[in-house]
Amino acid sequence: MERKQQLEQELVELYSEKFSDDQVQDIGDQALSSTMEALRSSLQDKEIEEYNMIRQVIDRIDSGEYGICVDCGQPISEKRLSVYLNATRCLACQEALEG
């Protein structure tokens, strides 16, 4: 929940951050603004992806489905969940899916 709140705050800050003051810029300023905008977009994408993953985990916890394999219905190991917070399959089912 802490990370979710932190991501929400960071996303608000990224969306409101402005890299240009809308004044006439030389080519160097334009290049810097373009680079900073691309970096911000990349950061937003990664943070939105992580935020959505956290929301999915919270939804699965709320519904009582967290830690239960969607394929076989068996518990997902704590070790797997500690590495892959958003794991929806036990290791055996994940390997079968990928294999």
Side-chain angles (χ1 to χ4, degrees):
M1 293 305 282
E2 273 183 43
R3 182 63 180 146
K4 178 184 163 286
Q5 291 173 345
Q6 182 183 18
L7 283 169
E8 288 170 344
Q9 181 62 36
E10 288 174 10
L11 287 168
V12 166
E13 289 172 8
L14 279 171
Y15 278 116
S16 62
E17 191 173 332
K18 194 172 183 179
F19 293 110
S20 170
D21 58 7
D22 295 327
Q23 293 182 8
V24 176
Q25 299 179 339
D26 65 22
I27 292 178
D29 290 339
Q30 290 173 354
L32 178 60
S33 290
S34 178
T35 301
M36 295 302 290
E37 194 60 44
L39 179 59
R40 175 172 52 187
S41 180
S42 177
L43 286 171
Q44 285 174 336
D45 291 348
K46 287 184 123 345
E47 288 188 346
I48 288 170
E49 183 179 323
E50 182 181 0
Y51 179 80
N52 287 335
M53 188 244 345
I54 290 170
R55 283 295 319 147
Q56 291 170 358
V57 167
I58 291 170
D59 290 345
R60 289 181 56 85
I61 289 170
D62 290 346
S63 69
E65 298 172 357
Y66 184 73
I68 306 297
C69 178
V70 296
D71 290 340
C72 69
Q74 296 297 312
I76 300 170
S77 73
E78 286 185 36
K79 183 177 178 182
R80 178 163 170 74
L81 289 172
S82 69
V83 174
Y84 300 104
L85 181 67
N86 61 333
T88 58
R89 289 180 176 83
C90 67
L91 188 55
C93 290
Q94 186 66 41
E95 287 175 347
L97 178 72
E98 294 173 0

